[in-house]
Amino acid sequence: MSRDSIQFIRQGRVRRVRDFAPRTTLLDWLRLEERSTGTKEACAEGDCGACTVVLARRRGGRVTYEPVNSCIAFLGQIDGAELITIEDLSRDGVLHPVQAALASGHGSQCGFCTPGIVMSLFAHYHRVSEVMNPVAVSREKIADVLAGNLCRCTGYRPIVDAAVASLAAPVADGFSQTDPERLARLRDLEDGEDVFVGDETSFFAAPADEESLAALLEKHPDATIVAGATDVGLWVTKKLAALPKIVHVGRVAGLDAVADTAETLTLGAALPLGRATPLLGRLDPDVDELMRRFGSTQVRTSGTVGGNIANGSPIGDLAPVLISLGATVELRKGDRVRTLPLERFFLAYGKQDREPGEFVRRLVVPKPSAETRLRVFKITKRMDEDISAVMGAFAVTLRHDRIASARVAFGGMAGVPKRAVAVEAALTGARLADPATWRAAAQKIGEDFSPLTDQRGTAAYRLQVAKTIVVKALAELAGVPGTATRVRPRASAGERPNDREAAHVAS
Ligand SMILES: Cc1cc2nc3c(=O)[nH]c(=O)nc-3n(C[C@H](O)[C@H](O)[C@H](O)COP(=O)(O)OP(=O)(O)OC[C@H]3O[C@@H](n4cnc5c(N)ncnc54)[C@H](O)[C@@H]3O)c2cc1C
Ligand code: FES
Ligand code: FES
């Protein structure tokens, strides 16, 4: 069965929409069609958060409230959700507690960022109040929550004060994770039907299962696959791409599945990064910190694991980590499924080993052995919400005082994420605690890479940084404290501040 409209809830009513161009963004629909102009547009590239709205979905028997950047989300992606915007929070003229706290605490000046900030905090309100995790109201946590909301004039001190005040003593606001009525309404939208809006030349499609997805992509190998659209959305807003045929993978049953065994972690391609975070974070505190710094909450809500690999970006954050762990990627075209080592997926800049009509199905990540130690360093111009200039991942397996094997991978050093094979060779069999080992390995970076100069860094800078983090990784593994050279200390496993909340969000 196939449906020729998308359906979602807005302001208590089920809306069915079929008359829209495939590339219509959620923000354009809201502002131009609905005239809901409370949601603002500023950067139109997912960076500033002015356009933040919240999508409520049924997951694990509860309602989750998650913030997304509507400027780079396609309208069709909200099928099955309840759309909540800034217009929907106050009740009978009474402001939502987050709004009231911002107003009384002088957390707004020109007000352009304020709707987005309110929506991010509103989403967090429904984690904090229902998870009861005191850490989730710390100033540090609020700063994380607002990493994707840029305020240019107020300054963050009063904003964070207001957030802490409203979140510390939450009151009922008409939204909840367990509201049976809302749960029932959302369940009613889950009809398991394929969505196909448009005609054979121009459509927005959202298949409900893998068979339909595979068949549709075989028929339309020229279609654009969209997962979270945190990359593809920008093709529309910044490059004005036409994108006549869009195949959205976010509704495909099981494509976001997770299998967590003692040996491997398997992540479905459509798994959002936010839900992957606690699973990946458990591998190592450095991976946890990497995920905390991956875009913003909004970007991690929408962006997926598969999108981060399929985009082939030389500066994507997951690839170096997963390559260092020896991950494999599974692809499907029609009935044919094939698997290859992740590093072989990236052929050259902008070119991956993926045929038209083929899609990424899942990633299988071997868990590090008891003798393997990880280190991950993301080097950016800005601490939060920034793309890597250089990214290094190290998986070093020890035998007594020697390095039995090493897998080292870098992003930002070539046209693709790539292993540093000369560095690895220099390390294999060497004594870990010997600084001569560290320096010898670092010298090999120049054999492995000839980086480019671009706006994120010069070739010379990248080479120097990469050498530095080789030494830093090895020195730390040998026991030299990293405290003086880390902005945030490396947490020990189990002590990560967001552990409890993250586990809840993942469920
Ligand atoms: C503000 C902002 C900050 C960001 N910060 C970071 C960051 O810190 N680190 C980082 O690595 N990236 C970052 N990104 C980039 C982006 O968020 C990630 O690459 C994200 O993982 C992309 O996933 P997606 O689901 O949104 O992909 P989409 O935009 O939906 O798709 C990306 C590409 O993958 C293809 N694709 C998607 N899924 C599949 C599939 N299953 N099979 C085949 N092809 C598929 C699409 O056709 C497209 O070519 C940022 C982006 C923004 C806008
Ligand atoms: S307008 Fe800036 S994130 Fe959407
Ligand atoms: S109040 Fe003006 S941008 Fe935040």
Side-chain angles (χ1 to χ4, degrees):
M1 291 286 285
S2 178
R3 183 157 34 89
D4 66 356
S5 62
I6 56 162
Q7 57 188 28
F8 55 92
I9 298 167
R10 171 139 168 83
Q11 294 170 339
R13 275 198 310 131
V14 175
R15 303 287 301 271
R16 295 198 169 79
V17 183
R18 63 169 58 84
D19 188 18
F20 64 94
R23 63 169 210 162
T24 306
T25 63
L26 177 54
L27 182 64
D28 277 353
W29 181 80
L30 270 173
R31 290 182 60 87
L32 304 177
E33 302 289 324
E34 290 284 283
R35 298 286 170 192
S36 285
T37 49
T39 306
K40 304 300 180 202
E41 176 171 32
C43 69
E45 59 182 51
D47 257 315
C48 75
C51 64
T52 304
V53 299
V54 165
L55 296 181
R57 292 189 187 273
R58 203 175 70 93
R59 191 171 299 130
R62 288 176 163 256
V63 183
T64 58
Y65 297 87
E66 295 180 313
V68 304
N69 291 317
S70 62
C71 65
I72 52 168
F74 294 113
L75 173 62
Q77 288 176 246
I78 69 169
D79 186 84
E82 176 177 354
L83 171 62
I84 304 169
T85 67
I86 189 68
E87 287 88 354
D88 306 331
L89 297 197
S90 65
R91 289 272 179 274
D92 304 322
V94 178
L95 292 178
H96 187 276
V98 166
Q99 293 173 303
L102 277 168
S104 64
H106 306 287
S108 177
Q109 284 191 29
C110 82
F112 205 79
C113 68
T114 310
I117 287 183
V118 168
M119 295 315 289
S120 285
L121 293 176
F122 163 72
H124 195 59
Y125 195 84
H126 285 284
R127 291 186 191 166
V128 179
S129 58
E130 306 190 45
V131 179
M132 298 314 290
N133 180 352
V135 173
V137 291
S138 69
R139 299 186 76 82
E140 196 185 17
K141 182 67 194 177
I142 300 297
D144 278 351
V145 166
L146 294 178
N149 289 91
L150 186 63
C151 177
R152 299 160 185 82
C153 46
T154 301
Y156 284 88
R157 203 261 308 141
I159 294 173
V160 175
D161 283 350
V164 170
S166 64
L167 292 162
V171 294
D173 64 350
F175 300 88
S176 117
Q177 290 189 357
T178 51
D179 174 6
E181 230 174 90
R182 181 164 265 119
L183 279 165
R185 282 206 306 263
L186 288 168
R187 192 175 43 237
D188 287 347
L189 296 182
E190 296 166 12
D191 56 10
E193 291 189 13
D194 294 336
V195 170
F196 191 94
V197 183
D199 58 31
E200 293 298 309
T201 59
S202 171
F203 59 80
F204 183 95
D209 60 40
E210 247 195 64
E211 297 310 307
S212 301
L213 172 64
L216 188 66
L217 288 174
E218 281 227 289
K219 191 170 169 196
H220 296 280
D222 57 334
T224 303
I225 300 177
V226 168
T230 59
D231 285 320
V232 179
L234 278 75
W235 304 354
V236 170
T237 59
K238 297 293 151 179
K239 296 183 189 162
L240 309 182
L243 306 189
K245 298 178 180 180
I246 290 183
V247 176
H248 175 46
V249 297
R251 287 181 74 249
V252 175
L255 204 64
D256 63 349
V258 168
D260 191 4
T261 70
E263 289 80 33
T264 56
L265 177 62
T266 303
L267 304 174
L271 184 71
L273 294 157
R275 284 162 61 200
T277 292
L279 300 159
L280 288 165
R282 245 175 256 151
L283 296 174
D284 186 84
D286 275 4
V287 184
D288 194 52
E289 171 67 355
L290 174 75
M291 296 307 291
R292 186 192 68 76
R293 290 175 59 203
F294 194 122
S296 58
T297 312
Q298 293 95 318
V299 168
R300 294 190 298 273
T301 296
S302 300
T304 62
V305 169
N308 197 234
I309 298 302
N311 69 9
S313 168
I315 47 172
D317 280 337
L318 286 186
V321 178
L322 300 186
I323 290 174
S324 76
L325 290 166
T328 53
V329 57
E330 198 175 280
L331 297 132
R332 174 169 173 178
K333 180 176 181 175
D335 291 332
R336 189 193 65 175
V337 174
R338 65 188 176 106
T339 301
L340 68 158
L342 183 55
E343 65 239 51
R344 296 221 324 254
F345 179 68
F346 304 103
L347 300 176
Y349 180 73
K351 191 168 162 41
Q352 297 87 47
D353 184 354
R354 186 171 71 81
E355 295 172 20
E358 194 169 35
F359 61 94
V360 177
R361 197 173 182 228
R362 54 188 198 160
L363 288 134
V364 181
V365 188
K367 292 202 174 155
S369 71
E371 294 75 34
T372 302
R373 307 278 179 271
L374 301 186
R375 284 295 184 275
V376 176
F377 299 112
K378 170 171 173 166
I379 310 298
T380 51
K381 285 184 186 281
R382 191 172 62 195
M383 183 65 176
D384 287 316
E385 233 218 327
D386 203 1
I387 304 267
S388 302
V390 175
M391 151 91 202
F394 303 78
V396 176
T397 303
L398 304 175
R399 191 174 303 128
H400 309 300
D401 64 340
R402 298 214 169 247
I403 297 169
S405 64
R407 287 180 67 96
V408 178
F410 276 88
M413 295 293 289
V416 290
K418 196 167 158 265
R419 273 175 76 179
V421 289
V423 173
E424 291 174 2
L427 290 175
T428 306
R431 240 170 49 81
L432 174 64
D434 184 352
T437 299
W438 316 340
R439 286 193 292 272
Q443 286 313 315
K444 296 289 179 182
I445 280 285
E447 287 179 29
D448 281 320
F449 301 107
S450 314
L452 288 176
T453 294
D454 65 14
Q455 72 274 26
R456 289 197 178 81
T458 61
Y461 167 81
R462 288 188 150 111
L463 280 171
Q464 187 57 51
V465 163
K467 284 180 190 171
T468 306
I469 59 182
V470 168
V471 172
K472 180 169 171 53
L474 295 163
E476 280 196 14
L477 292 176
V480 176
T483 34
T485 48
R486 281 179 180 254
V487 179
R488 285 192 177 210
R490 184 178 144 87
S492 43
E495 282 178 5
R496 292 159 304 184
N498 57 354
D499 267 353
R500 271 178 56 198
E501 191 209 4
H504 174 83
V505 173
S507 65

mmCIF file of all heavy atoms in Angstrom, residues 109-127:
data_model
loop_
_atom_site.group_PDB
_atom_site.id
_atom_site.type_symbol
_atom_site.label_atom_id
_atom_site.label_comp_id
_atom_site.label_asym_id
_atom_site.label_seq_id
_atom_site.Cartn_x
_atom_site.Cartn_y
_atom_site.Cartn_z
ATOM 1 N N GLN A 109 17.157 40.062 24.003
ATOM 2 C CA GLN A 109 17.220 41.494 23.663
ATOM 3 C C GLN A 109 16.522 41.733 22.327
ATOM 4 O O GLN A 109 15.335 41.982 22.287
ATOM 5 C CB GLN A 109 18.669 41.977 23.680
ATOM 6 C CG GLN A 109 19.184 42.151 25.109
ATOM 7 C CD GLN A 109 20.512 42.862 25.176
ATOM 8 O OE1 GLN A 109 20.854 43.670 24.331
ATOM 9 N NE2 GLN A 109 21.277 42.545 26.208
ATOM 10 N N CYS A 110 17.226 41.554 21.203
ATOM 11 C CA CYS A 110 16.503 41.762 19.934
ATOM 12 C C CYS A 110 15.449 40.682 19.739
ATOM 13 O O CYS A 110 14.447 40.882 19.056
ATOM 14 C CB CYS A 110 17.475 41.784 18.758
ATOM 15 S SG CYS A 110 17.969 40.150 18.158
ATOM 16 N N GLY A 111 15.667 39.519 20.331
ATOM 17 C CA GLY A 111 14.664 38.464 20.312
ATOM 18 C C GLY A 111 14.706 37.544 19.106
ATOM 19 O O GLY A 111 13.907 36.610 19.019
ATOM 20 N N PHE A 112 15.625 37.810 18.183
ATOM 21 C CA PHE A 112 15.619 36.992 16.966
ATOM 22 C C PHE A 112 15.978 35.538 17.249
ATOM 23 O O PHE A 112 15.411 34.617 16.683
ATOM 24 C CB PHE A 112 16.590 37.573 15.920
ATOM 25 C CG PHE A 112 16.204 37.176 14.533
ATOM 26 C CD1 PHE A 112 15.178 37.830 13.873
ATOM 27 C CD2 PHE A 112 16.819 36.109 13.901
ATOM 28 C CE1 PHE A 112 14.781 37.446 12.607
ATOM 29 C CE2 PHE A 112 16.429 35.711 12.637
ATOM 30 C CZ PHE A 112 15.408 36.391 11.983
ATOM 31 N N CYS A 113 16.898 35.334 18.184
ATOM 32 C CA CYS A 113 17.314 33.966 18.511
ATOM 33 C C CYS A 113 16.339 33.296 19.477
ATOM 34 O O CYS A 113 16.376 32.088 19.678
ATOM 35 C CB CYS A 113 18.698 33.977 19.169
ATOM 36 S SG CYS A 113 18.657 34.748 20.815
ATOM 37 N N THR A 114 15.490 34.113 20.132
ATOM 38 C CA THR A 114 14.744 33.622 21.289
ATOM 39 C C THR A 114 13.804 32.449 20.984
ATOM 40 O O THR A 114 13.785 31.474 21.749
ATOM 41 C CB THR A 114 13.993 34.795 21.965
ATOM 42 O OG1 THR A 114 14.933 35.865 22.168
ATOM 43 C CG2 THR A 114 13.409 34.382 23.301
ATOM 44 N N PRO A 115 13.019 32.480 19.897
ATOM 45 C CA PRO A 115 12.159 31.317 19.647
ATOM 46 C C PRO A 115 12.961 30.018 19.556
ATOM 47 O O PRO A 115 12.535 28.983 20.095
ATOM 48 C CB PRO A 115 11.493 31.653 18.306
ATOM 49 C CG PRO A 115 11.553 33.139 18.205
ATOM 50 C CD PRO A 115 12.828 33.543 18.896
ATOM 51 N N GLY A 116 14.104 30.072 18.907
ATOM 52 C CA GLY A 116 14.930 28.861 18.770
ATOM 53 C C GLY A 116 15.479 28.409 20.109
ATOM 54 O O GLY A 116 15.513 27.215 20.421
ATOM 55 N N ILE A 117 15.901 29.375 20.913
ATOM 56 C CA ILE A 117 16.431 29.039 22.240
ATOM 57 C C ILE A 117 15.322 28.428 23.094
ATOM 58 O O ILE A 117 15.518 27.412 23.773
ATOM 59 C CB ILE A 117 17.065 30.289 22.900
ATOM 60 C CG1 ILE A 117 18.389 30.586 22.178
ATOM 61 C CG2 ILE A 117 17.262 30.100 24.407
ATOM 62 C CD1 ILE A 117 19.184 31.730 22.713
ATOM 63 N N VAL A 118 14.142 29.025 23.033
ATOM 64 C CA VAL A 118 13.007 28.479 23.794
ATOM 65 C C VAL A 118 12.735 27.035 23.365
ATOM 66 O O VAL A 118 12.539 26.147 24.208
ATOM 67 C CB VAL A 118 11.743 29.353 23.606
ATOM 68 C CG1 VAL A 118 10.508 28.643 24.153
ATOM 69 C CG2 VAL A 118 11.924 30.709 24.272
ATOM 70 N N MET A 119 12.741 26.785 22.067
ATOM 71 C CA MET A 119 12.392 25.431 21.604
ATOM 72 C C MET A 119 13.463 24.416 22.021
ATOM 73 O O MET A 119 13.146 23.284 22.393
ATOM 74 C CB MET A 119 12.183 25.410 20.084
ATOM 75 C CG MET A 119 10.997 26.232 19.592
ATOM 76 S SD MET A 119 9.461 26.032 20.537
ATOM 77 C CE MET A 119 8.960 24.376 20.090
ATOM 78 N N SER A 120 14.725 24.809 21.982
ATOM 79 C CA SER A 120 15.785 23.888 22.439
ATOM 80 C C SER A 120 15.620 23.586 23.919
ATOM 81 O O SER A 120 15.745 22.447 24.366
ATOM 82 C CB SER A 120 17.179 24.495 22.208
ATOM 83 O OG SER A 120 17.504 24.427 20.849
ATOM 84 N N LEU A 121 15.326 24.647 24.698
ATOM 85 C CA LEU A 121 15.168 24.437 26.146
ATOM 86 C C LEU A 121 13.883 23.678 26.460
ATOM 87 O O LEU A 121 13.832 22.883 27.394
ATOM 88 C CB LEU A 121 15.205 25.785 26.879
ATOM 89 C CG LEU A 121 16.562 26.505 26.836
ATOM 90 C CD1 LEU A 121 16.465 27.870 27.511
ATOM 91 C CD2 LEU A 121 17.667 25.671 27.496
ATOM 92 N N PHE A 122 12.848 23.916 25.672
ATOM 93 C CA PHE A 122 11.591 23.174 25.861
ATOM 94 C C PHE A 122 11.843 21.668 25.662
ATOM 95 O O PHE A 122 11.374 20.838 26.452
ATOM 96 C CB PHE A 122 10.542 23.692 24.876
ATOM 97 C CG PHE A 122 9.369 22.772 24.681
ATOM 98 C CD1 PHE A 122 8.411 22.611 25.681
ATOM 99 C CD2 PHE A 122 9.222 22.053 23.499
ATOM 100 C CE1 PHE A 122 7.326 21.748 25.500
ATOM 101 C CE2 PHE A 122 8.146 21.195 23.310
ATOM 102 C CZ PHE A 122 7.198 21.037 24.313
ATOM 103 N N ALA A 123 12.596 21.332 24.617
ATOM 104 C CA ALA A 123 12.895 19.910 24.379
ATOM 105 C C ALA A 123 13.688 19.342 25.555
ATOM 106 O O ALA A 123 13.415 18.241 26.037
ATOM 107 C CB ALA A 123 13.680 19.740 23.079
ATOM 108 N N HIS A 124 14.630 20.124 26.036
ATOM 109 C CA HIS A 124 15.435 19.651 27.168
ATOM 110 C C HIS A 124 14.585 19.527 28.435
ATOM 111 O O HIS A 124 14.790 18.621 29.245
ATOM 112 C CB HIS A 124 16.619 20.588 27.396
ATOM 113 C CG HIS A 124 17.655 19.989 28.288
ATOM 114 N ND1 HIS A 124 18.299 18.809 28.006
ATOM 115 C CD2 HIS A 124 18.132 20.383 29.491
ATOM 116 C CE1 HIS A 124 19.115 18.509 28.978
ATOM 117 N NE2 HIS A 124 19.038 19.434 29.907
ATOM 118 N N TYR A 125 13.647 20.445 28.586
ATOM 119 C CA TYR A 125 12.705 20.418 29.722
ATOM 120 C C TYR A 125 12.067 19.041 29.832
ATOM 121 O O TYR A 125 11.850 18.521 30.923
ATOM 122 C CB TYR A 125 11.641 21.470 29.428
ATOM 123 C CG TYR A 125 10.756 21.890 30.570
ATOM 124 C CD1 TYR A 125 11.182 22.866 31.461
ATOM 125 C CD2 TYR A 125 9.481 21.371 30.712
ATOM 126 C CE1 TYR A 125 10.355 23.297 32.479
ATOM 127 C CE2 TYR A 125 8.648 21.798 31.736
ATOM 128 C CZ TYR A 125 9.097 22.762 32.616
ATOM 129 O OH TYR A 125 8.276 23.189 33.628
ATOM 130 N N HIS A 126 11.771 18.452 28.684
ATOM 131 C CA HIS A 126 11.095 17.152 28.712
ATOM 132 C C HIS A 126 12.060 15.978 28.782
ATOM 133 O O HIS A 126 11.638 14.839 28.747
ATOM 134 C CB HIS A 126 10.107 17.040 27.550
ATOM 135 C CG HIS A 126 8.911 17.862 27.865
ATOM 136 N ND1 HIS A 126 7.954 17.448 28.757
ATOM 137 C CD2 HIS A 126 8.578 19.125 27.514
ATOM 138 C CE1 HIS A 126 7.065 18.413 28.918
ATOM 139 N NE2 HIS A 126 7.427 19.433 28.177
ATOM 140 N N ARG A 127 13.326 16.270 28.853
ATOM 141 C CA ARG A 127 14.266 15.224 29.267
ATOM 142 C C ARG A 127 14.491 15.350 30.758
ATOM 143 O O ARG A 127 14.388 14.396 31.497
ATOM 144 C CB ARG A 127 15.599 15.384 28.554
ATOM 145 C CG ARG A 127 15.511 15.086 27.108
ATOM 146 C CD ARG A 127 16.879 15.122 26.510
ATOM 147 N NE ARG A 127 16.776 15.082 25.073
ATOM 148 C CZ ARG A 127 17.748 15.365 24.266
ATOM 149 N NH1 ARG A 127 18.923 15.705 24.760
ATOM 150 N NH2 ARG A 127 17.596 15.312 22.979
#
